[in-house]
Amino acid sequence: MFPVARAAQRLVARGIQHTAVRGAHGKHEPTFHDKYGTIVLLGGAGMFAAVWTYVFTTLKIEWGISPVGRVTPSEWRE
Protein backbone atom coordinates (compact mmCIF):
# COMPACT_ATOMS: atom_id res chain seq x y z
CA MET A 1 0.00 0.00 0.00
CA PHE A 2 1.22 3.50 -0.74
CA PRO A 3 2.36 5.55 2.24
CA VAL A 4 -0.18 8.31 1.56
CA ALA A 5 -3.08 5.85 1.35
CA ARG A 6 -1.95 4.10 4.52
CA ALA A 7 -1.74 7.42 6.38
CA ALA A 8 -5.21 8.39 5.15
CA GLN A 9 -6.60 5.04 6.27
CA ARG A 10 -5.12 5.46 9.75
CA LEU A 11 -6.48 8.98 9.97
CA VAL A 12 -9.98 7.82 9.06
CA ALA A 13 -9.81 4.92 11.52
CA ARG A 14 -8.62 7.24 14.28
CA GLY A 15 -11.47 9.66 13.56
CA ILE A 16 -14.03 6.85 13.76
CA GLN A 17 -12.58 5.60 17.03
CA HIS A 18 -12.58 9.13 18.46
CA THR A 19 -16.23 9.61 17.51
CA ALA A 20 -17.24 6.27 19.03
CA VAL A 21 -15.44 6.98 22.31
CA ARG A 22 -16.90 10.48 22.56
CA GLY A 23 -20.43 9.14 22.06
CA ALA A 24 -19.99 6.33 24.58
CA HIS A 25 -18.90 8.61 27.44
CA GLY A 26 -21.51 11.34 27.10
CA LYS A 27 -24.72 11.36 29.09
CA HIS A 28 -27.77 11.28 26.89
CA GLU A 29 -30.20 13.94 27.96
CA PRO A 30 -33.58 13.81 26.26
CA THR A 31 -34.01 16.52 23.67
CA PHE A 32 -37.21 18.29 22.71
CA HIS A 33 -37.86 15.64 20.05
CA ASP A 34 -37.31 12.82 22.53
CA LYS A 35 -39.75 14.37 24.99
CA TYR A 36 -42.47 15.77 22.75
CA GLY A 37 -41.89 14.33 19.29
CA THR A 38 -44.76 11.84 19.26
CA ILE A 39 -47.19 14.30 20.82
CA VAL A 40 -46.33 16.98 18.27
CA LEU A 41 -46.63 14.48 15.41
CA LEU A 42 -50.06 13.26 16.58
CA GLY A 43 -51.24 16.80 17.20
CA GLY A 44 -50.22 17.84 13.71
CA ALA A 45 -51.92 14.80 12.17
CA GLY A 46 -55.10 15.54 14.13
CA MET A 47 -55.07 19.19 13.07
CA PHE A 48 -54.50 18.17 9.44
CA ALA A 49 -57.43 15.75 9.55
CA ALA A 50 -59.70 18.30 11.26
CA VAL A 51 -58.97 21.06 8.76
CA TRP A 52 -59.50 18.85 5.71
CA THR A 53 -62.67 17.35 7.22
CA TYR A 54 -64.01 20.87 7.70
CA VAL A 55 -63.04 21.86 4.16
CA PHE A 56 -64.64 18.79 2.57
CA THR A 57 -67.87 19.10 4.55
CA THR A 58 -68.40 22.84 4.02
CA LEU A 59 -67.58 23.10 0.32
CA LYS A 60 -70.29 20.64 -0.76
CA ILE A 61 -68.13 19.16 -3.48
CA GLU A 62 -69.93 16.87 -5.92
CA TRP A 63 -67.68 13.89 -6.39
CA GLY A 64 -67.50 12.06 -9.69
CA ILE A 65 -68.75 14.91 -11.86
CA SER A 66 -69.20 13.73 -15.44
CA PRO A 67 -70.58 15.73 -18.35
CA VAL A 68 -71.94 12.57 -20.02
CA GLY A 69 -75.69 12.87 -20.37
CA ARG A 70 -75.75 16.47 -19.12
CA VAL A 71 -74.10 18.31 -21.97
CA THR A 72 -75.88 18.34 -25.31
CA PRO A 73 -74.06 19.53 -28.39
CA SER A 74 -75.44 22.55 -30.20
CA GLU A 75 -76.55 22.39 -33.82
CA TRP A 76 -73.86 22.81 -36.43
CA ARG A 77 -73.95 26.10 -38.29
CA GLU A 78 -72.46 26.44 -41.74
Side-chain angles (χ1 to χ4, degrees):
M1 198 180 265
F2 296 111
V4 174
R6 195 174 336 154
Q9 185 180 17
R10 286 184 188 147
L11 185 63
V12 169
R14 192 176 307 139
I16 292 171
Q17 288 173 349
H18 179 69
T19 303
V21 167
R22 182 178 40 184
H25 289 295
K27 274 185 10 182
H28 177 68
E29 296 179 8
T31 62
F32 176 83
H33 298 289
D34 292 334
K35 289 181 182 178
Y36 308 110
T38 306
I39 295 170
V40 171
L41 180 67
L42 293 176
M47 191 67 177
F48 177 85
V51 167
W52 281 109
T53 301
Y54 174 77
V55 167
F56 286 139
T57 56
T58 57
L59 287 182
K60 298 180 182 174
I61 299 172
E62 291 184 21
W63 298 102
I65 298 173
S66 174
V68 175
R70 295 183 190 176
V71 177
T72 57
S74 58
E75 291 294 323
W76 182 261
R77 289 182 281 165
E78 291 189 29

